Amino acid sequence: MANFKSNASVILSQKVPACRNCDYCLWHEKFSDIALHCDGLIEASLIEPIVGVQEEWVQLFQFEAVEQLNIFLRKADLRSVLSACEEEFGAKIQQQVIVNTKQMTVPATIVVFERVKPDRIRGYKKWLGKIGEAAESHPGFLGRELLKPIKGLQDDWVIIIRFDSEENLNLWLSSPIHKVLMEEAESFLERVQYKKIGRGFEDWLAHARGIKNSALPPQWKMAMLIILALYPIIMLISIWILPLMENWKSAMSLFVSSLISVSVLTWVAMPIVTRVFSFWLSGGEEVKTKTTIIGASIVVLLYLMAILLFVSL
């Protein structure tokens, strides 16, 4: 039985005519608005089609626990939006759930869903070892996760492969060894589906709505939130860390302090800040002016509070 405290994700995919791409981005906002009102949301992403790899648009919603994902999937307004979206584009939305995943915010990730013939499981497991070794030896490989089928939740074997860049991921997918191994797997696989979840360092604010880069919130909002998160980190480093390195060369101490500040900013501060200010980053048109004023005012007030706090230390 699945651990209901484990991370769980749902991947929604749909084929959309190329002339309707902008329309689909607006529909993704409707899905994301529903997800943002659910507890435990970790990730919301929109991935456009990739020539030669995936024909569909893909939406990823990841939650802290299976029970929270199930609440999202059972919401009446989600079912209503799913039906309306299918009617709008005349194409069925495929839904795939994966359980026990790590957070998929890394530079480039490919999720492979494989339906294995029941009588070929043993051969499939041996093949997994071969393709795993080949991927690990490929430039830019970061890690691999294998998720076995879970009755009632996840029908396919799921392989999540992470690379340090889009370029290295694409090189792996197009490499001769990958093609040879995928041809070898045809005898024991009923089907294979690829879903690309690639994103990089620049997408901090995708936590707010998960939309693609060109549609992210305005740069001034990004700058304000980055300053809000970065200022306390820099001040704390200057108070607690830099005195420990006072005898170091400035080049080395600056490098270490930069390493600490960027790491904390990326993996701790920005995910928290973007979640807290999701209302500001993703308000609908009817509340756009109101949320802009409220959000900016709160950020400025927090600036002043932080300055007063560190001045008093």
Side-chain angles (χ1 to χ4, degrees), residues 24-74:
Y24 193 76
C25 292
L26 295 176
W27 274 91
H28 176 64
E29 294 186 10
K30 298 180 182 180
F31 286 96
S32 296
D33 283 336
I34 298 170
L36 285 166
H37 286 86
C38 295
D39 292 335
L41 180 66
I42 297 174
E43 193 74 26
S45 306
L46 176 62
I47 303 94
E48 59 188 84
I50 305 159
V51 177
V53 176
Q54 100 193 9
E55 298 179 354
E56 308 97 340
W57 281 84
V58 174
Q59 300 184 62
L60 167 72
F61 299 97
Q62 186 173 26
F63 288 82
E64 294 175 352
V66 175
E67 57 190 5
Q68 293 169 332
L69 173 63
N70 284 336
I71 290 172
F72 169 64
L73 295 177
R74 290 196 299 264

Side-chain angles (χ1 to χ4, degrees), residues 7-14 24 27-36 40-49 54 56-64 69 72-73 78 82 93-113 145 147 154 158-162 194-200 203 206-212:
N7 288 349
S9 306
V10 62
I11 293 179
L12 307 175
S13 55
Q14 184 179 26
Y24 193 76
W27 274 91
H28 176 64
E29 294 186 10
K30 298 180 182 180
F31 286 96
S32 296
D33 283 336
I34 298 170
L36 285 166
L41 180 66
I42 297 174
E43 193 74 26
S45 306
L46 176 62
I47 303 94
E48 59 188 84
Q54 100 193 9
E56 308 97 340
W57 281 84
V58 174
Q59 300 184 62
L60 167 72
F61 299 97
Q62 186 173 26
F63 288 82
E64 294 175 352
L69 173 63
F72 169 64
L73 295 177
L78 175 65
L82 283 168
I93 295 177
Q94 295 184 2
Q95 178 177 304
Q96 293 161 308
V97 172
I98 51 179
V99 181
N100 292 329
T101 63
K102 298 177 182 177
Q103 188 171 348
M104 287 190 264
T105 304
V106 295
T109 298
I110 193 83
V111 183
V112 187
F113 297 88
E145 220 179 322
L147 307 175
Q154 174 181 306
V158 180
I159 306 172
I160 302 172
I161 305 174
R162 301 173 175 88
Y194 295 89
K195 307 298 180 186
K196 201 171 184 183
I197 316 295
R199 278 221 313 278
D203 280 348
H207 286 274
R209 188 179 288 278
I211 51 183
K212 61 180 185 177

Side-chain angles (χ1 to χ4, degrees), residues 56-311:
E56 308 97 340
W57 281 84
V58 174
Q59 300 184 62
L60 167 72
F61 299 97
Q62 186 173 26
F63 288 82
E64 294 175 352
V66 175
E67 57 190 5
Q68 293 169 332
L69 173 63
N70 284 336
I71 290 172
F72 169 64
L73 295 177
R74 290 196 299 264
K75 289 182 74 69
D77 47 354
L78 175 65
R79 293 197 296 270
S80 176
V81 171
L82 283 168
S83 298
C85 189
E86 288 180 339
E87 183 177 352
E88 174 78 13
F89 296 103
K92 183 75 175 176
I93 295 177
Q94 295 184 2
Q95 178 177 304
Q96 293 161 308
V97 172
I98 51 179
V99 181
N100 292 329
T101 63
K102 298 177 182 177
Q103 188 171 348
M104 287 190 264
T105 304
V106 295
T109 298
I110 193 83
V111 183
V112 187
F113 297 88
E114 297 179 335
R115 186 68 54 85
V116 183
K117 297 176 181 178
D119 59 341
R120 302 304 303 274
I121 298 294
R122 182 175 297 180
Y124 174 73
K125 290 181 177 179
K126 292 181 179 179
W127 174 84
L128 281 175
K130 292 168 62 176
I131 197 168
E133 290 178 2
E136 289 173 11
S137 64
H138 195 81
F141 177 82
L142 292 180
R144 186 174 73 121
E145 220 179 322
L146 174 64
L147 307 175
K148 298 180 180 180
I150 300 174
K151 188 174 181 180
L153 284 174
Q154 174 181 306
D155 296 328
D156 298 324
W157 289 73
V158 180
I159 306 172
I160 302 172
I161 305 174
R162 301 173 175 88
F163 281 84
D164 62 357
S165 68
E166 293 280 343
E167 181 181 5
N168 280 329
L169 173 57
N170 292 333
L171 286 173
W172 161 245
L173 293 174
S174 61
S175 66
I177 184 62
H178 181 265
K179 292 179 179 179
V180 168
L181 288 168
M182 292 309 299
E183 289 174 1
E184 182 181 324
E186 290 178 358
S187 63
F188 44 77
L189 291 180
E190 292 182 357
R191 72 174 189 186
V192 179
Q193 289 183 298
Y194 295 89
K195 307 298 180 186
K196 201 171 184 183
I197 316 295
R199 278 221 313 278
F201 186 80
E202 70 279 5
D203 280 348
W204 278 328
L205 299 191
H207 286 274
R209 188 179 288 278
I211 51 183
K212 61 180 185 177
N213 291 347
S214 61
L216 283 173
Q219 288 188 346
W220 66 269
K221 287 189 179 183
M222 297 183 189
M224 287 187 72
L225 290 188
I226 291 171
I227 292 171
L228 178 64
L230 186 59
Y231 174 70
I233 296 171
I234 293 175
M235 289 302 299
L236 291 173
I237 289 174
S238 67
I239 294 171
W240 291 340
I241 305 298
L242 287 182
L244 302 177
M245 300 184 292
E246 59 182 357
N247 295 324
W248 294 23
K249 295 289 187 180
S250 60
M252 180 59 70
S253 61
L254 285 173
F255 174 80
V256 172
S257 61
S258 298
L259 179 64
I260 295 172
S261 61
V262 170
S263 298
V264 174
L265 183 69
T266 303
W267 288 292
V268 179
M270 286 306 295
I272 294 173
V273 169
T274 53
R275 183 176 299 180
V276 170
F277 283 90
S278 61
F279 76 95
W280 188 45
L281 299 170
S282 59
E285 287 296 326
E286 69 277 9
V287 293
K288 185 175 181 180
T289 301
K290 180 179 178 180
T291 55
T292 296
I293 294 172
I294 292 174
S297 300
I298 293 174
V299 173
V300 171
L301 177 61
L302 291 173
Y303 285 167
L304 295 174
M305 292 173 63
I307 292 170
L308 291 174
L309 173 63
F310 287 109
V311 166

